[in-house]
DNA sequence: CAGAAATTTGACCAGTTGGAAAAATTCTTA
DNA sequence: TAAGAATTTTTCCAACTGGTCAAATTTCTG
């Protein structure tokens, strides 16, 4: 199971490293100095906030710059264009986001393996909701910038894990059902708590909408999938 | 069970009907002529396309106007501002979107009742994916324009249906579990097929990503929830 | 068909947006 | 510490944006 590095197309990647002595040294390359690393992080952090809320078109460089506490031209010194920031966020997010799925162990015990996958995905929704929303936003737009990653890397990974699930089904460890839609349903239910957080909180109200909601969700999902996947009783 | 009319705040609603003989007769009011009805529909249709993809900020009046096959000023003749179009889409969508939940019948047979709810929600994802995405987009932005509807009307409706589910649980008709998270999980899994359609198709690939995917999803979800909710065996 | 009402168009505008250029400032390091 | 590199600020711009306005055109209605 090779750890499939998710990597988006990046035109600049092929360029001959650019002239390093020109007027804008930081622009084309990866961070060279301490300040560059730090500021780029600040920018990415701010950009995550804005992009995850407004989507690519809806977000403005000004908003990001303000959130990052710097002027627009200054921001553009580190990322020469809006698109660059977005792409960076996308690749980083994809990588982290898929880790739990990658970590499903075909040699593990099926039920605990699935249970812990659900739990990890839910924890990600709790701890990194903006990344989830960023991804969701890109999906809603039809994934114009990552469609090829989805249909190659992601598809490959899911195909692989679907086979694992199928083998578990064949061995009678879990109920025989569609492994792809099983994975979709785990994605959907867990990411829902990040993407639709406002709704969840509004509906649960003051009483149950607090931090405890993730615990409740975990308990519920565990029950749902546990019994939903229980192999047929003899 | 009163049919709770979802209605967003609309400042114009209170105004004294505006002077009808002025230069801009169509603007403030509801459609009066045939042309107005027709064009408004064309605009709303086009706007749904754009807003559901780009979100409120990301969408431009020009895009909508072009999609509607008319000039921007012409469009603005029917909807004096961008926000009006969006609000109209929102209220209409909310109303339709919640119908299946409203229709859950407390006197019905629990299992078929839930099964048909899931099926209807899934059908809506298949037949009205853009409405689903419009809603999702608003959620991602923190639901700034409908948060009050969510915490009043929607919460009320869900509270009511949660009670129904609880009564079914008490009577041993379905497994005892959290009714709110049960509803969330149905929303999440069914809407996933509209909101994340690109991803679903990319992962399923040419082979299984065709129209059949909704049938497969329906079958899977039925199994998952059916067995997941099966009451404890004696 | 004439006049009025409704609709459409073209010109325009002020504010925003992504981004470029260059000057000004602040580090580094020989 | 002075020169060179890195960073930041100021100024600017062309395209885009939401929206206005009056004139032109089309569609009713008596």
């Amino acid at each position: 199971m090779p750890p499939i590095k998710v990597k988006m197309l990046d035109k600049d990647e092929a360029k001959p490293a650019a002239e390093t002595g020109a007027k804008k040294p930081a622009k084309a390359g990866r961070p060279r100095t301490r300040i560059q690393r730090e500021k780029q992080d600040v920018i990415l952090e701010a950009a995550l906030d804005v992009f995850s809320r407004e989507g690519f078109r809806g977000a403005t460089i000004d908003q990001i710059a303000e959130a990052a506490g710097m002027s627009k031209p200054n921001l553009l010194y580190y990322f020469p264009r809006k698109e660059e920031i977005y792409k960076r966020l996308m690749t980083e997010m994809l990588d982290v986001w898929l880790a739990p799925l990658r970590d499903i162990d075909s040699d593990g015990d099926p039920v605990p393996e699935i249970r812990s996958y659900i739990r990890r995905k839910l924890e990600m929704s709790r701890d990194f909701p903006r990344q989830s929303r960023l991804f969701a936003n890109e999906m809603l737009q039809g994934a114009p910038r990552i469609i090829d990653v989805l249909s190659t890397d992601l598809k490959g990974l899911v195909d692989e894990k679907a086979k694992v699930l199928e083998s578990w089904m064949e061995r009678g460890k879990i109920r025989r059902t569609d492994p792809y839609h099983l994975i979709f349903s785990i994605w959907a239910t867990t990411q829902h708590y990040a993407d639709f957080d406002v709704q969840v909180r509004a509906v649960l109200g003051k009483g149950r909408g607090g931090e405890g909601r993730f615990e409740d969700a975990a308990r519920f999902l565990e029950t749902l999938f546990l019994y939903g996947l229980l192999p047929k009783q003899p």
Side-chain angles (χ1 to χ4, degrees), chain A residues 207-223:
Chain A
R208 303 191 52 215
E211 272 312 311
R213 68 191 187 280
F214 281 99
E215 272 313 310
D216 295 342
R219 240 191 314 277
F220 169 80
L221 291 178
E222 218 154 272
T223 308

Side-chain angles (χ1 to χ4, degrees), chain A residues 47-210:
Chain A
L48 178 57
D49 241 64
V50 181
F51 279 132
S52 67
R53 223 179 327 114
E54 313 277 9
F56 182 76
R57 279 223 67 208
T60 74
I61 301 184
D62 281 295
Q63 282 178 89
I64 300 172
E66 193 189 334
M70 65 181 73
S71 68
K72 178 170 61 172
N74 195 183
L75 181 150
L76 286 168
Y77 171 73
Y78 293 102
F79 290 91
R81 44 204 66 250
K82 192 180 167 185
E83 182 110 22
E84 300 297 310
I85 315 176
Y86 191 80
K87 285 204 290 197
R88 267 284 286 280
L89 283 176
M90 271 292 159
T91 24
E92 289 181 7
M93 180 271 294
L94 271 176
D95 224 49
V96 175
W97 212 245
L98 294 178
L101 183 58
R102 282 203 201 92
D103 292 350
I104 289 183
D105 182 4
S106 59
D107 297 330
D109 206 9
V111 170
E113 207 65 35
I114 292 174
R115 190 204 306 266
S116 107
Y117 177 54
I118 293 171
R119 200 165 266 280
R120 282 190 65 189
K121 283 292 286 177
L122 195 56
E123 278 163 6
M124 300 202 74
S125 278
R126 185 192 57 197
D127 301 333
F128 309 104
R130 294 174 307 171
Q131 276 86 345
S132 184
R133 280 181 221 126
L134 181 70
F135 185 69
N137 239 316
E138 175 73 11
M139 287 301 113
L140 291 179
Q141 284 155 43
R145 294 158 231 272
I146 59 167
I147 182 65
D148 48 311
V149 176
L150 298 184
S151 43
T152 57
D153 294 316
L154 177 62
K155 175 168 168 38
L157 182 60
V158 176
D159 281 343
E160 180 194 324
K161 297 305 180 181
K163 281 213 185 69
V164 172
L165 288 169
E166 262 164 357
S167 84
W168 288 345
M169 292 172 195
E170 266 156 33
R171 282 190 280 137
K173 298 289 191 178
I174 55 174
R175 184 185 304 277
R176 192 177 300 273
T177 184
D178 190 313
Y180 288 90
H181 291 280
L182 171 55
I183 291 174
F184 292 154
S185 69
I186 295 176
W187 287 348
T189 48
T190 53
Q191 291 176 11
H192 187 80
Y193 291 95
D195 304 344
F196 286 66
D197 185 48
V198 227
Q199 180 180 243
V200 168
R201 279 204 272 204
V203 167
L204 290 181
K206 280 179 195 146
R208 303 191 52 215

Side-chain angles (χ1 to χ4, degrees), chain A residues 10-55:
Chain A
D10 188 349
K11 296 169 201 163
D12 304 330
E13 218 68 38
K15 284 182 184 170
E19 342 75 49
T20 28
K23 278 185 178 178
K24 293 155 184 180
K27 286 209 171 182
R30 293 293 165 240
R32 274 178 248 289
T33 75
R34 171 186 54 89
I35 292 186
Q36 275 177 41
R37 245 189 319 277
E38 286 173 8
K39 296 274 167 129
Q40 285 198 4
D41 283 351
V42 172
I43 292 169
L44 289 170
E45 165 69 22
L48 178 57
D49 241 64
V50 181
F51 279 132
S52 67
R53 223 179 327 114
E54 313 277 9

